[in-house]
Amino acid sequence: GAVVSQHPSRVICKSGTSVKIECRSLDFQATTMFWYRQFPKKSLMLMATSNEGSKATYEQGVEKDKFLINHASLTLSTLTVTSAHPEDSSFYICSARTREGAYNEQFFGPGTRLTVL
Amino acid sequence: SQQGEEDPQALSIQEGENATMNCSYKTSINNLQWYRQNSGRGLVHLILIRSNEREKHSGRLRVTLDTSKKSSSLLITASRAADTASYFCATDARGSNYKLTFGKGTLLTVNP
């Protein structure tokens, strides 16, 4: 149980294009999903918190017009990197918090490697 | 130091030995979690310890929490080559609205 999937696992795009990344909780309903960014050999940095049916909350320094987040259902959140540039190349990971999770146990997706040429 | 900072940054041991990683944090927490990440992969949840717990076991893993020192340790006993990965602690600070703050991680290499 508690499986989170991400799609695609890897994407290469040209500068200026937009890329959508999906995060799904496969066997549970996720009250909240989180989006992280990870640079090589670095830790995870929280980008935003996504609650079903409401606007995402972005961390300081994260451009909400650049990183569009939609949490359309209790099992799906999407992150769209708009007008991507090479500096947006990174490893993006989502996590989902179970609705029944009393202790904030979060389950992570396998990540999406974005390379912007 | 940052919230959830691990040490050592890198640890290399022989198969069969025990590996101990430490994590320090700054604020009051609801709980602390340890995760493992293999290179280029997502995070695997290992164990969660609540702020009112002092020690927890799961298989070959032993986690301790000392809230007075704001520190935690992860012990992996009888290590295997497959344990080679980066290990992160993550804290759930009180009032953070369930956000996790990750440390920089410890890269563990277990040599066969």
Side-chain angles (χ1 to χ4, degrees), chain A residues 32 34 36 38 41-44 46 49 51 57-59 91 93 95 97 101-111 113, chain B residues 6 30-31 33 35 37 39-45 47-48 50 88-89 91-92 96-105:
Chain A
T32 307
F34 301 88
Y36 297 84
Q38 186 179 32
K41 298 185 179 180
K42 297 290 185 182
S43 187
L44 280 74
L46 179 65
T49 303
N51 292 297
T57 304
Y58 291 81
E59 294 300 299
F91 193 55
I93 308 177
S95 74
R97 177 175 177 269
Y103 302 114
N104 194 27
E105 191 169 306
Q106 293 185 25
F107 299 92
F108 284 76
R113 173 79 56 195
Chain B
E6 294 89 338
N30 293 315
N31 58 62
Q33 302 178 61
Y35 290 87
Q37 184 180 35
S39 182
R41 301 291 187 91
L43 273 70
V44 174
H45 187 271
I47 200 164
L48 179 152
R50 302 198 301 268
F88 295 92
C89 70
T91 52
D92 173 9
S96 69
N97 203 24
Y98 306 118
K99 296 178 189 177
L100 293 181
T101 301
F102 282 83
K104 295 177 182 176

Side-chain angles (χ1 to χ4, degrees), chain A residues 27-67:
Chain A
D27 50 3
F28 65 98
Q29 292 186 327
T31 315
T32 307
M33 290 183 170
F34 301 88
W35 286 95
Y36 297 84
R37 185 173 180 177
Q38 186 179 32
F39 291 102
K41 298 185 179 180
K42 297 290 185 182
S43 187
L44 280 74
M45 289 178 50
L46 179 65
M47 299 174 65
T49 303
S50 170
N51 292 297
E52 185 264 339
S54 63
K55 289 184 179 180
T57 304
Y58 291 81
E59 294 300 299
Q60 193 172 11
V62 178
E63 301 175 58
K64 55 185 175 184
D65 295 331
K66 173 77 172 173
F67 300 99

Side-chain angles (χ1 to χ4, degrees), chain A residues 7 19 51 79 100 108 117:
Chain A
H7 177 79
V19 175
N51 292 297
L79 167 67
E100 295 77 26
F108 284 76
L117 303 175

Side-chain angles (χ1 to χ4, degrees), chain B residues 8 13 15 32 34 46-48 58 62 68 80 87 94 96 99:
Chain B
I13 60 174
E15 209 164 25
L32 184 145
W34 284 92
L46 295 177
I47 200 164
L48 179 152
S58 177
R62 173 177 169 255
S68 66
R80 305 166 183 168
Y87 291 81
R94 287 182 189 163
S96 69
K99 296 178 189 177

Side-chain angles (χ1 to χ4, degrees), chain B residues 27-28 37 50 70 84-85 107:
Chain B
T27 64
S28 295
Q37 184 180 35
R50 302 198 301 268
K70 291 186 168 57
T84 294
L107 175 59

Side-chain angles (χ1 to χ4, degrees), chain A residues 15-34:
Chain A
S15 190
T17 60
S18 293
V19 175
K20 181 185 282 188
I21 302 170
E22 291 186 349
C23 177
R24 291 181 186 274
S25 57
L26 298 185
D27 50 3
F28 65 98
Q29 292 186 327
T31 315
T32 307
M33 290 183 170
F34 301 88

